[in-house]
Amino acid sequence: MIDCPPERFHWLVPCDPAGTIRVDSLINQNLPFLSRRAREELFSKQAVLINGRPVAKGFKASPGDLLEIEVPGPLSPYPVPDQAPRPSVIFEDQTLVIVDKPGLMPTHPLSPFETGTLANILVSHWPQIVGVGNKALEPGLVHRLDKGTSGLLVVALKQAAWEQLKKDLGTRKWEKTYQALIEGVFPEPMTISLPLAHDPSDDRKMNGIRGPGHKRRGRIYQALTQVRPIKRFKEFTLVEIRLITGITHQIRVHLSSHGYPLAGDTLYGSKRSQALGLPLNRF
């Protein structure tokens, strides 16, 4: 993690035909590259002031009011470079690098003010990835891993390489294999086919959709996972998992839906993180 000095901005609220204008709209006009999440973070930190007083995002400012913002870090659409040690490199050439992401490290920041993620470290050691891809906060990243998961990540060093790698991933030319310790004694090899969608009441979660009446938010994603037991223990099983599709939290939801949550995955039903000595959120 690194400490970033705050930046301060101020504007006078302009005239508007409606007479007043929402403060969040003003911020979007003046700082258009900030994501919705980043703008909400500013309000939650009481960093948005009108005439010296913190306001909520729906506040309506009048012409001539003074809008002030204290941004908690350098104002850039890209991750802040983090001078942490270079991650373990498995492969590198002129077009891509494959690194080993540690468990408990987020793949990328969710706002420009966040540090301590793999992307922050990557832009420090491979600055040429800035601008590669289609999301400013995920430079060069062809895919992602959950914070609690360790494993290999492919990072494109050039835009053409990123586009080709994404195309290959989308047409299933990649073979993505994982190993996981799960709760329970897993019987025989199994293919799990269960569509997924975002949970309407918890932004952190995905839901398995078993019928038309199942609660969801947004679209439904088809998801297919192959699971094979490697070694069985008294209360756990080490399994090999092959992703046929690659949906957010697919492995976690599919295994949990069949009664075999990842050991340590308390978000999806694990009760064993303390018994195994696992740190919080480590699978």
Side-chain angles (χ1 to χ4, degrees):
M1 300 285 283
I2 57 176
D3 294 323
C4 304
E7 295 192 14
R8 296 175 182 271
F9 299 87
H10 63 272
W11 301 276
L12 286 176
V13 177
C15 292
D16 187 270
T20 59
I21 184 170
R22 285 175 59 112
V23 173
D24 50 352
S25 296
L26 282 170
I27 296 175
N28 192 37
Q29 291 172 16
N30 287 283
L31 305 174
F33 58 80
L34 286 184
S35 66
R36 179 179 61 84
R37 185 188 293 269
R39 294 196 298 272
E40 290 179 352
E41 185 175 344
L42 290 174
F43 286 106
S44 70
K45 293 179 180 293
Q46 294 193 320
V48 180
L49 295 85
I50 290 291
N51 300 328
R53 294 187 176 184
V55 295
K57 67 178 181 180
F59 183 86
K60 293 184 178 180
S62 300
D65 284 347
L66 178 63
L67 167 62
E68 298 176 276
I69 301 175
E70 182 175 294
V71 179
L75 191 58
S76 168
Y78 306 108
V80 178
D82 192 325
Q83 299 298 325
R86 171 178 163 129
S88 177
V89 174
I90 307 303
F91 175 85
E92 182 176 7
D93 65 13
Q94 297 299 310
T95 58
L96 63 89
V97 59
I98 301 175
V99 299
D100 190 0
K101 185 190 87 67
L104 295 181
M105 177 180 285
T107 299
H108 63 85
L110 298 178
S111 84
F113 322 126
E114 183 181 352
T115 59
T117 77
L118 182 65
N120 295 108
I121 300 172
L122 291 173
V123 297
S124 176
H125 294 280
W126 291 274
Q128 67 268 40
I129 68 172
V130 170
V132 173
N134 62 357
K135 295 182 180 179
L137 290 175
E138 303 175 30
L141 293 173
V142 182
H143 59 125
R144 295 171 289 179
L145 289 175
D146 291 341
K147 176 181 177 179
T149 303
S150 60
L152 303 186
L153 274 173
V154 180
V155 183
L157 302 179
K158 299 180 179 180
Q159 182 66 22
W162 184 87
E163 292 174 0
Q164 184 62 53
L165 288 163
K166 289 293 282 189
K167 180 180 178 181
D168 292 344
L169 182 61
T171 53
R172 301 183 184 177
K173 291 184 178 180
W174 293 31
E175 184 171 309
K176 299 172 71 175
T177 304
Y178 299 75
Q179 288 189 355
L181 187 69
I182 62 175
E183 294 183 11
V185 180
F186 198 81
E188 300 298 329
M190 178 188 302
T191 296
I192 301 173
S193 178
L194 179 65
L196 304 177
H198 289 277
D199 188 301
S201 58
D202 190 339
D203 288 342
R204 302 172 302 163
K205 297 181 69 175
M206 300 289 285
N207 284 344
I209 306 300
R210 297 187 181 277
H214 202 112
K215 294 182 179 180
R216 63 181 175 88
R217 173 171 55 85
R219 62 171 289 192
I220 296 175
Y221 300 88
Q222 298 302 315
L224 195 63
T225 307
Q226 295 177 343
V227 187
R228 178 180 69 85
I230 298 174
K231 186 173 183 179
R232 298 181 181 91
F233 303 93
K234 183 178 179 180
E235 297 179 331
F236 302 92
T237 307
L238 179 66
V239 295
E240 180 182 87
I241 302 159
R242 182 166 179 258
L243 284 184
I244 307 303
T245 55
I247 309 303
T248 300
H249 293 187
Q250 176 176 322
I251 291 172
R252 300 166 65 183
V253 178
H254 274 185
L255 286 166
S256 178
S257 69
H258 280 68
Y260 302 98
L262 298 186
D265 187 7
T266 54
L267 184 64
Y268 288 106
S270 172
K271 309 296 184 184
R272 305 295 184 88
S273 58
Q274 291 182 342
L276 291 170
L278 291 169
L280 183 65
N281 297 323
R282 180 64 167 114
F283 313 144

